[in-house]
Each structure stands twice: as structure tokens, then as C-alpha cells.
Amino acid sequence: MVSLRVPPLFDALSAARSILIAGAGGGFDVYAGLPLALALWERGATVHLASLSFSELELIDRDAWVAEHVVEVRPETVSTDWYFPEGVLARWLDEHGLPSTVFALPPLGVQTLRAAYRYLVARLGVDAIVLVDGGTDILLRGDESDLGTPVEDITSLAAVAALDVPVKLVSALGFGIDAHDGVNHSQVLENLAALTRDGGYLGALSIPAGSREALLYRDLVSYAHDATARRPSIVQGQIAAAIGGAFGDVRFTGRTSGSSLFVNPLMAMYFTVELDKLAARCLYLDRIEHTIGRRQVISRIEAFRDARDKVRIPRAFPH
């Protein structure tokens, strides 16, 4: 029985023996899963981390490739690519005495990415998967005024939807960040309301500013900022700032020059939904089901959007 005393997110994962937290949208998205992983580790759960990677994984020694599309990144894993968020995360975890393996998956189509996930599920005995998104565009269904940057998010959603795993969730951290990519967040809220009616919305959960999870997450983001100074994460930087109580047009990297940010407390909240019910509401998931490569996904999403006669009219927040 659902209760206010236990967040539904943690209630859903309470019986899981092996939990895989995976970045849905690529790059630094897996970092958004760290507070959740820390809380689960503290509870004694076995948690593994995976990331859809934008790094040039082919530069990593073949010994680290444990399957055709899976790289096992450890603290000592070396890449000549200067952009390697998974390697940075593995080193930070090791320095803090935490489980320090991060599985990196190249950006693929649905069929190939699903095969990579199937390998991880079998190898790790996974009985719960949480896809984490930095931002909320994974919650869009396809008829919104703009879809943000859906390619990796929806490929991950489709890949995991067909897996036979008892618990599958999507948790989005960073509400409002996708406005930069055209997302209308009134439509995100409308989608969450529809998922509530379907019984698929598990509620919102704030990361308390003074918690161990918040302090370590902000330390990780700062560590990664220094390690990837040429391209620090704008998404994770805003989330970290929001967790710390910053508000408004907060500057933490030159990458945001010329734009206006709106850092606020909503960015520090996980919005969690049941993955299968989210997937069932996506209007174009069937269009990308049989894709092998990323470019196929891109072209099929574009074709779906081009064929639509109309989209939902965007609305501003009324308050």
C-alpha cells in the first residue's frame, strides 16, 4: 500500500536485489543518478551504473570491451578522448570508496542498445532498472510543440521497455532545464497528470540540500567540471546549483554565455514514472523499434514529426 511515509520511488525498489541505474540521454546523464545510487547503497542495496556514452569508446583498449557494445570503465581505464564523463565518474567513485565500475554503451539504435542491456541484465542479475534523465524531455510523448533532444532518451526507453525485468522506472532530474531546447514544461506537467490517471506516476522527490547525497553529488559535479573544463555539463551544473539553493540566472561556465538560465528548486527534484506506462504513451516508439543505428532513429523521429498535421498548443505557466 502506497504511503506518504515512504517515497514510492524507494518503495518500488525495496525488494530489488540488483539495481541498474543508467543515464538515458547520454554523456553526463548518469551523474543525475548518483544521489539515488548513494541512498540505495546506504540502504545496503546492490547498485550498478551505466551510461549511454558520447565519448569515442573505440579509443579504449579492447580488454575493457566485455561485450560487443559494452565497455567496463574502471578508475584505471584510459582513453585518449578528452571528453570521458564515465572515466571521470569511475575515478571519483573510487576516491570516495564507492563501487567504481561504470558500464559505457555507445549511442545505438533500439535493437543494438537492447542487446547491450540484455547483456548487463544477465551478467549482473538485474531485477530493477532506473533510467535517469538530466532534464525532463524523456517524459514527452511526441505531439508536443517541441521534443527537445529526444534521440538518446527515447532509444533508451524503447530498448528497456521490451526487457523482462520486474521493476523498470524512469526518473527525471532537472525540471525546466530543457526550456533551452524548446520544451514547454506545461506540457510536461500535462503528461505527468495523464500518467497519474494511468497509475504510472510515482511522484516527485526533492534532494535535501544538507544531505550526504546532495553534498557528494555537488562534489562530483565540481570534480567533473575541473576534469572536463572544455565542456562541463550545463545540465548537471544547474542541478547542483539548484540543490545548493541558487536561484535565477546563475553562471558557472562560459558555455551558457548569451543565454538566460532560470535555476530554481524544481530542478532539485526527481520526477519518477513507471517505464512501461511511459513507453505505452509514446506515439512514435513503434517507428524506431527496428533501428540498428542512431541515424536511423533520428530520421524516423523526423519523419514522424513531419507527418503530423498538428501538435499540442504550448501554454505558458499561468502563475
Side-chain angles (χ1 to χ4, degrees), residues 9 12-13 20-24 113-114 117 128-133 138-140 152-172 195 198-202 271-282 285:
L9 168 57
L13 297 172
L20 178 64
I21 297 177
L113 185 60
R114 185 176 295 148
Y117 270 110
I129 297 178
V130 183
L131 290 182
V132 289
D133 182 27
I138 196 172
L139 301 176
L140 303 179
E152 284 73 29
D153 289 330
I154 301 303
T155 302
S156 297
L157 179 66
V160 174
L163 296 179
D164 185 16
V165 175
V167 179
K168 294 178 288 184
L169 306 175
V170 170
S171 199
L195 283 161
D198 291 345
Y201 179 45
L202 276 64
F271 290 81
T272 303
V273 301
E274 293 183 9
L275 187 147
D276 287 344
K277 291 187 177 179
L278 177 66
R281 291 186 54 79
C282 182
L285 217 63

Side-chain angles (χ1 to χ4, degrees), residues 34-170:
L34 180 74
L36 177 58
L38 289 167
L40 291 167
W41 278 324
E42 185 74 17
R43 198 184 69 181
T46 299
V47 180
H48 313 277
L49 300 174
S51 172
L52 192 62
S53 181
F54 291 147
S55 300
E56 295 185 44
L57 296 178
E58 64 272 16
L59 299 177
I60 298 174
D61 191 273
R62 292 304 303 179
D63 290 344
W65 289 78
V66 294
E68 184 178 4
H69 298 298
V70 182
V71 180
E72 186 173 359
V73 179
R74 296 180 176 274
E76 65 273 14
T77 302
V78 175
S79 173
T80 55
D81 186 358
W82 64 268
Y83 181 83
F84 191 26
E86 296 81 13
V88 173
L89 176 57
R91 292 194 297 273
W92 182 90
L93 290 166
D94 183 61
E95 290 177 13
H96 288 78
L98 296 165
S100 55
T101 296
V102 181
F103 294 97
L105 318 175
L108 303 163
V110 172
Q111 294 292 317
T112 39
L113 185 60
R114 185 176 295 148
Y117 270 110
R118 280 200 175 111
Y119 168 83
L120 291 176
V121 167
R123 172 176 166 172
L124 304 173
V126 169
D127 55 0
I129 297 178
V130 183
L131 290 182
V132 289
D133 182 27
T136 55
D137 53 357
I138 196 172
L139 301 176
L140 303 179
R141 63 179 231 149
D143 60 351
E144 293 82 7
S145 56
D146 199 300
L147 302 186
T149 54
V151 176
E152 284 73 29
D153 289 330
I154 301 303
T155 302
S156 297
L157 179 66
V160 174
L163 296 179
D164 185 16
V165 175
V167 179
K168 294 178 288 184
L169 306 175
V170 170

Side-chain angles (χ1 to χ4, degrees), residues 167-229:
V167 179
K168 294 178 288 184
L169 306 175
V170 170
S171 199
L173 182 66
F175 184 90
I177 284 173
D178 298 312
H180 174 75
D181 292 310
V183 171
N184 178 273
H185 285 80
S186 290
Q187 294 180 329
V188 173
L189 294 175
E190 186 179 3
N191 291 354
L192 288 172
L195 283 161
T196 300
R197 295 192 297 273
D198 291 345
Y201 179 45
L202 276 64
L205 180 65
S206 292
I207 301 171
S211 66
R212 174 176 177 267
E213 293 86 357
L215 297 175
L216 286 174
Y217 169 75
R218 295 185 69 202
D219 183 78
L220 168 62
V221 173
S222 177
Y223 181 94
H225 186 285
D226 293 340
T228 318

Side-chain angles (χ1 to χ4, degrees), residues 208-271:
S211 66
R212 174 176 177 267
E213 293 86 357
L215 297 175
L216 286 174
Y217 169 75
R218 295 185 69 202
D219 183 78
L220 168 62
V221 173
S222 177
Y223 181 94
H225 186 285
D226 293 340
T228 318
R230 290 163 60 184
R231 194 175 176 81
S233 174
I234 295 173
V235 170
Q236 304 303 323
Q238 289 182 78
I239 295 169
I243 290 174
F247 184 82
D249 193 9
V250 179
R251 297 291 155 177
F252 48 86
T253 171
R255 291 186 64 203
T256 62
S257 61
S259 61
S260 180
L261 305 181
F262 183 54
V263 173
N264 66 86
L266 292 176
M267 291 180 176
M269 301 171 68
Y270 283 114
F271 290 81

